[in-house]
Amino acid sequence: MKATELHARASADFDAKLARTQALLQQAARDYAPVLPGGPALASLACSLGAEDMVLAHLINAQSLNIGIFVLETGRLHAQTLELMRQLQATSRAPVEIFQPKNEAVVQFVQREGQDAMYKSIALRKACCQIRKMEPLERALADKRAWITGLRREQSDARAEVPFIDDSNPHRLKFNPLAEWTWGDVWFYIQANNVAYNPLHDAFFPSIGCEPCTRAIALGEDFRAGRWWWEDEAAKECGLHVKEEVERSALTPPSLAQPSTPNAQPS
Ligand code: SF4
């Protein structure tokens, strides 16, 4: 059964939510416009190619907003995800940048720990995420003053308090324009606007990450139960969206800024 048929249910106040989302994206584009005409935008969408991020990419393109899009291609993504990435690159008006891990770091890690080291311990799983996700994310955000994510409060207890704008890092603002959307809202938008999505969603993968670390979920299971399923729930927020303590000055110009450890984990 198609995910659209299964999940598309708009909230009663969906139109108001959509308007708030559009306004937040417009704010990000306005406040973080390129320094020079034709230059890169200072705000970018961290696109995991999951349903939420495909909605945001669609909204950015539909409104012709000056916001970039980047994808972390970890080298362990599903074939379906890679195909969607190529499709997004070919059709997006906003530029789509692909960031990959450093080959040498991957080769050394795999030689030392094995191709599937993530199952051996939480430390090795996080080491793999550091090489394949976190370091590329730092590069992706190095010249950005704001980033946009598809985090939603409904996704997990750990995300229940996600704000629309997270200013906990004075160096880089984080916009979460879908914070109040339900899963039904996401799929209603996808259905209504014919947004391309990962066919794995039709196979009961609500949250899609790397192939070795993602599985389908059964009816009644938690939304993120298919991610790192062999670990305790508390260990799962490994990186991209974990709160950081940032002491760097907000006044540091982006060109001089040290790459920060971002509020980790692109979904
Ligand atoms: S999600 Fe899994 S395969 Fe992907 S970077 Fe993390 S540990 Fe490695």
Side-chain angles (χ1 to χ4, degrees), residues 1-253:
M1 191 177 190
K2 292 272 186 196
T4 40
E5 295 165 36
L6 202 56
H7 303 300
R9 311 260 186 292
S11 304
D13 58 347
F14 176 77
D15 289 345
K17 288 181 183 176
L18 177 59
R20 278 190 286 275
T21 297
Q22 289 169 324
L24 280 162
L25 289 171
Q26 288 161 12
Q27 180 185 340
R30 185 181 60 243
D31 292 353
Y32 297 96
V35 175
L36 299 172
L42 298 183
S44 206
L45 167 67
C47 182
S48 70
L49 302 158
E52 291 91 346
D53 294 340
M54 295 309 291
V55 166
L56 287 169
H58 187 272
L59 280 164
I60 288 167
N61 280 314
Q63 296 181 94
S64 298
L65 296 177
N66 205 343
I67 292 174
I69 297 173
F70 69 85
V71 175
L72 303 181
E73 204 287 81
T74 64
R76 299 302 303 266
L77 299 179
H78 298 81
Q80 296 92 326
T81 307
L82 293 173
E83 178 54 34
L84 185 61
M85 182 182 80
R86 287 187 278 270
Q87 194 179 337
L88 179 65
Q89 270 192 302
T91 57
S92 175
R93 184 201 57 81
V96 178
E97 282 188 280
I98 310 297
F99 287 85
Q100 294 176 309
K102 289 181 175 165
N103 189 51
E104 192 183 333
V106 170
V107 169
Q108 285 179 359
F109 180 76
V110 170
Q111 278 178 349
R112 193 173 63 244
E113 307 294 351
Q115 180 78 349
D116 293 325
M118 68 285 293
Y119 302 128
K120 294 184 191 168
S121 70
I122 290 174
L124 283 175
R125 194 269 292 164
K126 289 189 175 180
C128 184
C129 283
Q130 173 63 34
I131 291 167
R132 293 182 183 274
K133 288 182 172 181
M134 301 302 296
E135 187 282 327
L137 179 66
E138 287 181 9
R139 270 186 280 129
L141 293 178
D143 62 349
K144 303 299 176 199
R145 296 304 302 266
W147 59 315
I148 294 151
T149 85
L151 291 184
R152 294 183 301 109
R153 294 171 190 149
E154 191 193 56
Q155 284 168 333
S156 69
D157 288 347
R159 298 180 178 183
E161 308 282 328
V162 164
F164 285 121
I165 299 178
D166 182 345
D167 61 359
S168 59
N169 177 352
H171 179 68
R172 184 179 298 113
L173 223 53
K174 184 174 175 184
F175 287 79
N176 304 305
L178 301 184
E180 63 180 342
W181 285 41
T182 64
W183 192 225
D185 292 332
V186 171
W187 285 98
F188 176 76
Y189 184 92
I190 287 174
Q191 186 178 54
N193 294 279
N194 203 21
V195 177
Y197 67 87
N198 194 325
L200 288 170
H201 287 305
D202 293 336
F204 301 100
F205 286 70
S207 177
I208 304 169
C210 294
E211 187 165 16
C213 300
T214 308
R215 65 162 172 79
I217 66 168
L219 271 180
E221 274 196 300
D222 183 71
F223 183 85
R224 284 175 66 81
R227 303 292 297 278
W228 305 298
W229 63 92
W230 63 93
E231 293 182 358
D232 286 347
E233 199 57 38
K236 287 190 177 180
E237 288 288 356
C238 66
L240 299 190
H241 299 301
V242 174
K243 287 263 188 198
E244 63 182 322
E245 299 296 329
V246 177
E247 62 296 318
R248 275 184 286 277
S249 165
L251 300 176
T252 308

